[in-house]
């Protein structure tokens, strides 16, 4: 890493809005399909360049997203937005392709126990499943992102080493994944953890391939994003209003609020192409639908202004 100063910050960052997927998957409240679609359409007009709109997983495990196929068919697609969805296996890929995706997000965990709880397989059993999904998705021209969860801490196993993460990342890239999304699933990392991981991964993968996916359980996500920016990382996930969490990771709370990320990035002079005002409106819309205050500093701030 060359120095640690404002001069090294990138000029532009790409944010993927994962609220309709990571945000809603953890919610007990059922959001009617039409309202989900209206929300995704609002997000599509914020200037955001990527939206993860749903999950093609076992609906018994994630009931909040059981309408993924209808959502995918009915959202109004903005040609400037890349629409992706979570895909765990070939059945999920088949449904996702029918519904329409630009990108498939496959996912597994660097921790054996979280992988088992989340997708009902060992890490070794997961590789062939995802390798087939990646191969087929690439064969039909889709971009593939490989999510790796619990890259810092696992709620069941504790600390995960950068070497464990590297091994999973390498297998996904060898299988053909275009990008890697590194998940701080339970939101416990601090900036030195991020440094240690990036020091290892950036020896093996170009920075353009890496996406950082922070949950904000301990309020460290913005500090962790700032640290990642100094390493040249230019791609981050956010969930508007700070919605989110993995129901199969004890203690996982919301993702970093996209609005906080925008406030940071725009404040330090980094472009995103996203309108903060429109993103806040999208946050208020889903907050009203869920009928509860979201864990969002920015929404609380504008509501009280
Ligand atoms: P399994 O139980 O091992 O699979 O599930 P199975 O093949 O035995 O199937 C069981 C049932 O699921 C069958 O139905 C299948 O048809 C159905 P039944 O006979 O019982 O009626 N099924 C499906 N239905 C629809 N679409 C599918 C599909 N696949 C099977 N694609 C599986 C394996 C992976 C599918 C399951 O464990 C699952 O769906 N897990 C998803 C868990 C999940 O979505 N977790 C949250 C997302 S990950 C996350 O949040 C972390 C992330 O944000 C990054 C971070 O923060 O770290 C990405
Ligand atoms: Mg997540």
């Amino acid at each position: 890493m060359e120095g640690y100063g404002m001069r090294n910050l990138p000029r532009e960052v790409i944010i993927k809005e994962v609220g309709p997927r990571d945000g809603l998957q953890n919610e007990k409240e059922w959001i009617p399909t039409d309202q989900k679609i209206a929300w995704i359409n609002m997000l599509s007009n914020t200037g955001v360049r990527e939206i993860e709109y749903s999950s093609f997983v076992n609906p018994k495990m994630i009931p909040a997203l059981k309408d993924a196929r209808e959502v995918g068919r009915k959202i109004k697609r903005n040609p400037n937005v890349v629409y992706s969805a979570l895909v765990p296996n070939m059945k999920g890929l088949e449904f996702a392709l029918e519904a329409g995706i630009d990108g498939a997000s496959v996912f597994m965990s660097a921790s054996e126990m979280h992988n088992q709880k989340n997708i009902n397989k060992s890490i070794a059993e997961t590789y062939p499943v995802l390798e087939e999904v990646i191969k087929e998705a690439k064969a039909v021209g889709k971009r593939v992102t490989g999510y790796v969860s619990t890259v810092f801490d696992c709620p069941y196993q504790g600390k995960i080493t950068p070497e464990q993460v590297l091994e999973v990342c390498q297998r996904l890239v060898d299988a053909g994944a275009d990008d890697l999304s590194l998940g701080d699933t339970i939101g416990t990392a601090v900036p030195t953890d991020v440094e240690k991981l990036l020091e290892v991964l950036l020896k093996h993968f170009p920075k353009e391939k890496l996406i950082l996916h922070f949950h904000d359980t301990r309020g460290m996500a913005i500090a962790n994003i700032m640290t990642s920016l100094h390493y040249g990382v230019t791609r981050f996930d956010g969930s508007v209003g700070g919605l989110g969490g993995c129901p199969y990771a004890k203690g996982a709370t919301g993702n970093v609020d996209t609005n906080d990320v925008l406030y940071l990035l725009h404040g330090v002079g980094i472009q995103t192409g996203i309108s903060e005002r429109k993103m806040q409106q999208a946050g208020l819309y889903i907050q009203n639908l869920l009928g509860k205050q979201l864990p969002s500093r920015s929404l609380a701030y504008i509501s009280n202004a």
Side-chain angles (χ1 to χ4, degrees), residues 38 40 65 111 142 181 190 206 208-209 214 248 251 284 289 294:
I40 297 168
L65 302 180
S111 127
K142 304 300 173 190
S181 185
V190 294
E208 295 74 20
K209 252 191 197 311
F214 290 110
Y248 299 97
L284 289 175
L289 284 183
L294 297 185

Side-chain angles (χ1 to χ4, degrees), residues 87-90 93-94 97 101 104-106 126-146 171-178:
V87 172
N89 52 19
M90 287 304 288
L93 182 63
E94 187 191 321
L97 291 174
I101 45 166
S105 303
V106 299
T126 307
Y127 287 135
V129 176
L130 296 192
E131 280 161 4
E132 189 183 7
V133 173
I134 295 170
K135 189 166 156 239
E136 291 301 317
K138 296 295 299 169
V140 293
K142 304 300 173 190
R143 207 173 165 81
V144 177
T145 297
R171 285 291 293 258
L172 292 172
V173 168
D174 290 347
D178 299 287

Side-chain angles (χ1 to χ4, degrees), residues 59 127 145 149-150 166 211 214 235 256-257 265 268 282 287-288 298 304:
Y127 287 135
T145 297
S149 288
T150 63
L166 173 62
I211 304 165
F214 290 110
R235 302 173 67 190
V256 64
D257 180 356
L265 295 176
V268 300
Q287 175 165 274
N288 287 340
S298 82
N304 295 329

Side-chain angles (χ1 to χ4, degrees), residues 72-262:
R73 278 199 305 271
K74 293 189 178 163
I75 49 177
K76 187 158 178 261
R77 298 197 184 227
N78 178 335
N80 299 318
V81 177
V82 170
Y83 294 89
S84 58
L86 233 53
V87 172
N89 52 19
M90 287 304 288
K91 184 169 187 170
L93 182 63
E94 187 191 321
F95 291 158
L97 291 174
E98 268 168 35
I101 45 166
D102 303 309
S105 303
V106 299
F107 59 104
M108 62 183 292
S109 188
S111 127
E112 195 63 66
M113 282 178 76
H114 178 251
N115 203 69
Q116 192 73 50
K117 286 196 190 281
N118 198 37
I119 53 178
N120 204 20
K121 285 181 189 56
S122 68
I123 289 179
E125 287 164 344
T126 307
Y127 287 135
V129 176
L130 296 192
E131 280 161 4
E132 189 183 7
V133 173
I134 295 170
K135 189 166 156 239
E136 291 301 317
K138 296 295 299 169
V140 293
K142 304 300 173 190
R143 207 173 165 81
V144 177
T145 297
Y147 270 108
V148 183
S149 288
T150 63
V151 298
F152 303 108
D153 295 299
C154 167
Y156 312 105
Q157 255 178 264
K159 284 272 168 233
I160 301 296
T161 65
E163 289 67 30
Q164 286 172 282
V165 179
L166 173 62
E167 194 177 321
V168 177
C169 289
Q170 194 63 63
R171 285 291 293 258
L172 292 172
V173 168
D174 290 347
D178 299 287
D179 311 309
L180 293 163
S181 185
L182 307 166
D184 182 9
T185 314
I186 53 170
T188 49
V190 294
T192 42
D193 296 323
V194 176
E195 286 179 5
K196 282 181 201 147
L197 181 63
L198 289 177
E199 290 283 353
V200 172
L201 294 188
L202 287 171
K203 290 195 176 83
H204 298 267
F205 310 108
K207 56 185 186 306
E208 295 74 20
K209 252 191 197 311
L210 301 186
I211 304 165
L212 272 288
H213 176 102
F214 290 110
H215 286 258
D216 204 17
T217 315
R218 303 302 301 267
M220 294 292 116
I222 288 294
N224 290 335
I225 288 176
M226 195 66 196
T227 303
S228 313
L229 287 168
H230 283 295
Y231 276 84
V233 173
T234 55
R235 302 173 67 190
F236 298 94
D237 290 349
S239 173
V240 68
L243 271 175
C246 175
Y248 299 97
K250 202 162 134 268
T253 62
N255 290 80
V256 64
D257 180 356
T258 310
N259 288 305
D260 283 345
V261 183
L262 294 179

Side-chain angles (χ1 to χ4, degrees), residues 13-20 39 43 46-50 214 216 221-222 225 236-243 254-266 272 274-276 278-280 282-283 295-299:
V13 153
I14 297 177
I15 293 178
K16 180 167 62 176
E17 174 57 45
V18 297
W39 181 44
L43 290 168
T46 57
V48 77
R49 282 159 59 179
E50 296 188 21
F214 290 110
D216 204 17
I222 288 294
I225 288 176
F236 298 94
D237 290 349
S239 173
V240 68
L243 271 175
N255 290 80
V256 64
D257 180 356
T258 310
N259 288 305
D260 283 345
V261 183
L262 294 179
Y263 184 79
L264 168 75
L265 295 176
H266 296 168
T272 64
I274 301 172
S275 154
E276 287 182 53
K278 289 183 179 172
M279 194 53 88
Q280 284 164 351
S296 164
R297 284 168 287 257
S298 82
L299 293 187

Side-chain angles (χ1 to χ4, degrees), residues 29 31-32 35-36 39 284-292:
E29 187 72 25
I31 301 291
Q35 291 175 342
K36 273 183 197 141
W39 181 44
L284 289 175
Y285 180 83
I286 193 66
Q287 175 165 274
N288 287 340
L289 284 183
L290 288 166
K292 63 176 184 188

